[in-house]
Amino acid sequence: MSKMDEQISQAAAILSRSASAGALCGAGVSAESGVATFRDAGGLWERLDPAEVATTERLIHTLETNPGRLIEVFFELLDAFEKAEPNAGHVALGRMEQMGVLKTVITQNIDDLHREGGSQNIIEVHGNVFRTRCLGCGSKVNNDRRALIREIRDKLNAMQEYSLSSLISLARTCQKCGSPMRPDVVMFGESVQQLPEAYRAAQDSDVMLVLGTSGVVYPAAELPLVARKAGATLIEINPGENSFARGADIYLPMKTGDALPAIVEHLSG
Ligand code: OAD
Ligand code: ZN
C-alpha cells in the first residue's frame, strides 16, 4: 500500500467511527469544476485587486471610473459559473451525507455546487451568488443558475456602454416591494452569514474535513480551530502550498476530486 492509500484508508476509518463529522470547504473544492480559486496562480485575486472590488463602495467606485477590465473578468466568471458542474468531490460529499457519515458542509463557496452535488445540510457562510436579496425588504429568492446567467449576459451584451447606471439596471426587481435585488453574497466588511450555525456545527463535529481552503479569511478560518478545541480530529485535503496547514491530524496533499471519492469507496467497501 502506498503512503497515500494508507492515509486515505486511515481517513476513512476515522470518518466511519465518527458520530458527527463536518466539513469546511473553500474554493479548491470547486477548482475541478472550472471555477478559479482566489489565491492560486491564475486565481481571481491575481486578476483583480481586492482593494478595487471587494467592498460594495470600492466596487461602485471602480465601476464608475474604470469598468472595462472588470467587465472582462465578469464575462469570464459568468462563463465559468454557467459551465460548472459539480465535480467528483462535491458528489462524494453528498454521498457521505447520504451514508450518514457527514452531518454538515460549511462552505465559503458561493457557487451552489454543493447542493447540485447532492449535499443537503449546507451552511454557506459567504452566501450564494444565485440567490438574490432585496435591498428594500430583505426578502431572498433562489434563482435558477443558468437562467439568471443568461439574463445577465443578454443584458450586458445589449448595453451600448458600461456605466454605473446601466450596470445597476442588471438588478432584478423585488416581487414584493419593487426595490432592486442584489446578489446575496458577502463582500469584505460585511457580516458573514449563518455564523452561529457554523460555530455550532464546528463545536459539534468530532471530525472536521478541511477542504480546499487557504484558511486566511476569518471568521471561516477559525472554524477548524474551534472544532479542534472541542476535541475534533482534523483531516485536511489540499494539493497546494497555500493550504490551511495548521497541524491537521491527517494531511492528504491531493485534489478533493480525487481524495474524497477514494474515501467514499473505502466507506462503502
Ligand atoms: P483560496 O483561493 O484562498 O484557496 C484555495 C485553496 O484551494 C488553496 O489552498 C489551494 O491549494 C486549494 N486547491 C486548489 N485546487 C484544489 C483542488 N483541486 N482540490 C483541493 N484543494 C485545491 O480560496 P478560499 O480559501 O476559499 O471570500 O478563500 C476564502 C475566501 O477568500 C473566499 O470565500 C473569498 C475570498 O476572498 C470572500 O469573497 C468573502
Ligand atoms: Zn423587497
Side-chain angles (χ1 to χ4, degrees), residues 94-150:
R95 286 278 296 132
M96 283 186 202
E97 186 177 331
Q98 258 174 16
M99 295 163 95
V101 173
L102 188 66
K103 287 262 162 29
T104 314
V105 167
I106 307 169
T107 189
Q108 299 163 86
N109 300 345
I110 58 172
D111 55 29
D112 212 27
L113 293 176
H114 288 292
R115 195 185 50 76
E116 293 186 22
S119 293
Q120 292 187 356
N121 195 12
I122 310 165
I123 298 177
E124 294 171 317
V125 285
H126 293 164
N128 183 313
V129 74
F130 304 111
R131 186 169 61 226
T132 39
R133 180 173 90 230
C134 174
L135 292 171
C137 70
S139 61
K140 298 189 179 195
V141 177
N142 294 315
N143 302 287
D144 178 75
R145 170 157 72 105
R146 296 203 164 86
L148 185 66
I149 289 173
R150 270 197 304 276

Side-chain angles (χ1 to χ4, degrees), residues 25-29 31-32 37-40 45 54 108-110 126 186-188 211-217 236-244 254-257:
C25 299
V29 175
E32 291 157 83
T37 65
F38 295 90
R39 295 173 183 81
D40 296 316
W45 291 156
Q108 299 163 86
N109 300 345
I110 58 172
H126 293 164
V186 174
M187 306 285 284
F188 283 20
L211 307 173
T213 183
S214 59
V216 297
V217 174
E236 174 169 27
I237 305 174
N238 190 321
E241 273 162 21
N242 61 345
S243 59
F244 177 77
M254 292 175 72
K255 295 180 174 182
T256 41

Side-chain angles (χ1 to χ4, degrees), residues 49-217:
D49 179 356
E52 283 180 338
V53 297
T55 68
T56 310
E57 289 79 27
R58 293 304 300 175
L59 181 61
I60 288 175
H61 178 77
T62 307
L63 285 172
E64 273 173 334
T65 50
N66 185 17
R69 213 164 63 82
L70 260 189
I71 298 291
E72 187 188 310
V73 177
F74 190 58
F75 268 115
E76 284 174 31
L77 286 176
L78 284 179
D79 245 24
F81 279 139
E82 184 174 40
K83 293 195 184 112
E85 297 287 350
N87 65 52
H90 295 110
V91 173
L93 289 172
R95 286 278 296 132
M96 283 186 202
E97 186 177 331
Q98 258 174 16
M99 295 163 95
V101 173
L102 188 66
K103 287 262 162 29
T104 314
V105 167
I106 307 169
T107 189
Q108 299 163 86
N109 300 345
I110 58 172
D111 55 29
D112 212 27
L113 293 176
H114 288 292
R115 195 185 50 76
E116 293 186 22
S119 293
Q120 292 187 356
N121 195 12
I122 310 165
I123 298 177
E124 294 171 317
V125 285
H126 293 164
N128 183 313
V129 74
F130 304 111
R131 186 169 61 226
T132 39
R133 180 173 90 230
C134 174
L135 292 171
C137 70
S139 61
K140 298 189 179 195
V141 177
N142 294 315
N143 302 287
D144 178 75
R145 170 157 72 105
R146 296 203 164 86
L148 185 66
I149 289 173
R150 270 197 304 276
E151 177 184 315
I152 291 176
R153 191 190 285 111
D154 289 350
K155 282 184 180 172
L156 279 171
N157 282 331
M159 280 176 194
Q160 309 289 334
E161 54 157 15
Y162 302 121
S163 64
L164 184 61
S165 59
S166 65
L167 292 167
I168 285 173
S169 75
L170 290 176
R172 283 188 176 172
T173 305
C174 176
Q175 299 286 315
K176 290 191 180 140
C177 77
S179 303
M181 315 273 291
R182 61 164 273 184
D184 191 25
V185 294
V186 174
M187 306 285 284
F188 283 20
E190 295 178 345
S191 320
V192 164
Q193 299 185 8
Q194 292 186 281
L195 194 57
E197 289 94 327
Y199 270 100
R200 205 171 315 126
Q203 258 154 359
D204 290 350
S205 295
D206 57 4
V207 176
M208 182 172 268
L209 298 168
V210 183
L211 307 173
T213 183
S214 59
V216 297
V217 174

